[in-house]
Amino acid sequence: AAASAVAVPADVRALARELGAAPAAAVIDDVEKTVDGDLTRVRVHARLSSQLRWNRVLDGLEGSLVIDLSDIPASDATGIGNLEQALRSLPPEVSPVEVEAAPLPLVERILQGGSRRVRVVSVVVSAFCPACATHRPATLRIDQLDDLSLIHISEPTRPY
């Protein structure tokens, strides 16, 4: 027995054609760079790894710079080292330099490097929430910490 054909209404076919011709959803770039006056904000949406080309991202900058790492899903030692080296190599006309939501290993590298020009604004650490009895990432603003001795920093929950 032959299957009977079902006619698709013209308006449904027209809608299907329109949806098929619609542009794909916008893909978020790995790195988003915005400039507002003399401030450049670089927001990273990708894994902090050797795949990021910091020389290209930071080329030609002048004035203040903010590196925002709040959207990175993870990082590795090479990515952290590459970013720290790139920050240390910035020309003198890029100043001040601030890093937001830095993974702890990056903070350690910046402190070891001794750069006075790079300021860590906040750090992402693993925190324990007694109310829900779980470990989860917490962003600590450095300028709001009164007594660093009260904070115990354990292994991060994101694979840094």
Side-chain angles (χ1 to χ4, degrees):
S4 62
V6 176
V8 177
D11 57 340
V12 173
R13 275 185 274 138
L15 179 60
R17 272 193 307 275
E18 280 184 47
L19 290 174
V27 176
I28 296 176
D29 289 331
D30 288 348
V31 177
E32 171 188 346
K33 185 164 41 170
T34 56
V35 179
D36 183 15
D38 70 342
L39 171 68
T40 301
R41 174 175 285 275
V42 174
R43 187 167 195 175
V44 181
H45 302 284
R47 178 181 172 87
L48 192 55
S49 70
S50 63
Q51 300 299 311
L52 290 173
R53 303 290 182 234
W54 288 106
N55 291 340
R56 183 179 297 163
V57 171
L58 302 176
D59 186 44
L61 295 182
E62 294 179 354
S64 302
L65 172 63
V66 174
I67 303 287
D68 181 350
L69 302 174
S70 61
D71 283 347
I72 65 169
S75 64
D76 60 38
T78 303
I80 286 170
N82 290 351
L83 174 54
E84 189 272 331
Q85 173 63 38
L87 293 176
R88 204 169 356 113
S89 302
L90 285 169
E93 58 269 12
V94 180
S95 187
V97 177
E98 294 184 344
V99 181
E100 297 177 349
L104 191 56
L106 177 61
V107 175
E108 292 168 345
R109 288 284 304 253
I110 289 171
L111 292 174
Q112 289 169 357
S115 174
R116 295 176 186 252
R117 191 167 49 149
V118 179
R119 180 175 160 261
V120 176
V121 175
S122 57
V123 60
V124 176
V125 297
S126 178
F128 180 75
C129 175
C132 44
T134 60
H135 286 273
R136 61 175 144 199
T139 301
L140 303 176
R141 289 197 49 90
I142 303 298
D143 61 349
Q144 295 177 351
L145 300 176
D146 293 330
D147 187 356
L148 293 176
S149 67
L150 298 176
I151 297 172
H152 171 72
I153 297 177
S154 61
E155 291 298 313
T157 55
R158 293 193 294 195
Y160 296 113

